[in-house]
Structure formats: structure tokens, C-alpha cells
Amino acid sequence: VISGLLVTSLVVSNGAYANAQKISKDESVYVNADESGATTKITVSNWLKNAGINGTINDESDLKDIQNVKGDETFTQNGDDVQWSAGSNDIYYQGTTEKETPVNVKITYYLDGKEMTADEIAGKSGKVTVRFDYTNNEKVKADINGAEEEIYVPFIAVSGMILNDDFQNVDVKNGKVISDGKNQIVVGMAMPGMKDNLDLSDDEVEIPDYVEMT
């Protein structure tokens, strides 16, 4: 789940500031990816929390294929302006987007040190390595010691896998392996772009931008 992909806002149709404070919006972004990490579909779920407003909610959104997923409230859309006939209800809706995600992941597979595709490695045995390389795509301008510079927006990328007892001698770089007696749970963490933000070398401090499981 990636948050912060879209910048959105909403207002109440009557424009009253006090009433606008009674409307809030939660947004979650779900990215479906293939075995290499490439994005195949992005679904955005929004929850418009209506606390006492009885009328129309103007929501700003550039999502496509918008659907009300919990209720029969209707909407009209004109560009990025989406007007919901909410009554006094909360609105739950989903849509899709083709925007670039703030963080990309590339997944690479190795068998006994040889790089393979996911299809090639499937069903084989040996020393398997799966590596997750993260790329930060989001930059903002910031005042650094009186100078305007571009820095990466800080993100923490967490990778998780549950491995059954077919897997042995599990080790992870930039993470931890937890066992419940039957399954092994691999959890890894990376902070892509942070090393560049701090202008640090690997000799000074290691800030991971990848997770590797063997």
C-alpha cells in the first residue's frame, strides 16, 4: 500500500469554512505488480467522511472509472471536479490512475548465483536469491542552509514474505527473519533516496535502498 500518490482536496458545496471542517478524506493506493515489480494496475480507494453535512460534496479527483463501492449515492464528474449527492452519508469510492508511483521496485531472481526470470526459476531447487531494489521518484524543493535544493521525499519501503518449511537456511540483508515454528517470515526495510538527501557515502553510514533474501 502506497500513500501520498495523489494530491487531492475537497470542499463542501456551500463554501462555508465551518462546514468544510466536517468533511475529511482518507486515501489508500493499491499497486498491482508483476513478478518483476513492474506496475500492472493502480487502484485508489477514497473515504469521504461526512460529519453532519446534508447535501452535495465537491471532491477534487483525477481518477478514472470512479465507482461507488458502498452505497447508491450518485455523482457527476466534470474534469477533476466530482460532485457527490451524499445526503448525510459517508462516501466510499474507488478509481484507477496511470500516474507514476512515488516509489518503484525492481525484483531480481538468482539461482546458484545465476540471474533468472521468475518463470525460469519456478520449480527449481538450489541457492535462491530474491532482491528488491527500490527507486524514489518524488522530489521537492527545500531550503538547505540558505540555498534552495531538490531533495527526495522520505519513504520507508517494507518488504514481507511468508516462506513454508520447503525453504531452509533463510537469510536476509537489510531485514530480519522470524520463525513461528512452521513458517519463516521475512521482513525487510529500505529508505530509497535518503542517502542522497544526507549526502553520505557507504563508508560513513549504510542506509539501504534494497532488500535481499537468500
Side-chain angles (χ1 to χ4, degrees), residues 16-127:
Y17 178 79
N19 284 343
Q21 302 312 296
K22 298 181 180 180
I23 302 293
S24 61
K25 182 176 182 177
D26 280 354
E27 184 171 83
S28 298
V29 181
Y30 301 89
V31 179
N32 289 52
D34 63 18
E35 64 275 6
S36 71
T39 298
T40 59
K41 182 180 180 180
I42 301 175
T43 303
V44 182
S45 292
N46 286 309
W47 176 13
L48 302 181
K49 300 179 182 180
N50 190 349
I53 300 300
N54 190 356
T56 300
I57 298 175
N58 290 355
D59 180 24
E60 184 179 323
S61 177
D62 57 5
L63 297 179
K64 309 299 182 184
D65 305 318
I66 292 177
Q67 297 182 11
N68 187 338
V69 295
K70 189 179 179 181
D72 55 7
E73 298 85 3
T74 59
F75 70 93
T76 58
Q77 184 173 12
N78 183 14
D80 291 350
D81 181 27
V82 182
Q83 295 191 359
W84 287 95
S85 300
S88 58
N89 299 325
D90 289 4
I91 301 294
Y92 301 83
Y93 73 90
Q94 287 185 347
T96 61
T97 181
E98 296 181 356
K99 283 188 174 182
E100 184 179 49
T101 56
V103 176
N104 288 346
V105 60
K106 176 186 177 184
I107 307 175
T108 311
Y109 305 86
Y110 301 88
L111 179 63
D112 297 326
K114 180 182 178 182
E115 183 175 344
M116 293 188 171
T117 66
D119 288 338
E120 290 172 336
I121 203 173
K124 293 183 171 64
S125 297
K127 183 180 180 180

Side-chain angles (χ1 to χ4, degrees), residues 149 193-202 204-205 207:
E149 297 184 17
M194 184 61 70
K195 183 169 61 177
D196 292 335
N197 280 355
L198 300 177
D199 195 22
L200 297 173
S201 67
D202 289 334
E204 294 175 289
V205 64
I207 301 178

Side-chain angles (χ1 to χ4, degrees), residues 1 3 7 55 88 109 117 156 158-159 203:
V1 181
S3 298
V7 178
S88 58
Y109 305 86
T117 66
I156 296 177
V158 179
S159 305
D203 294 334

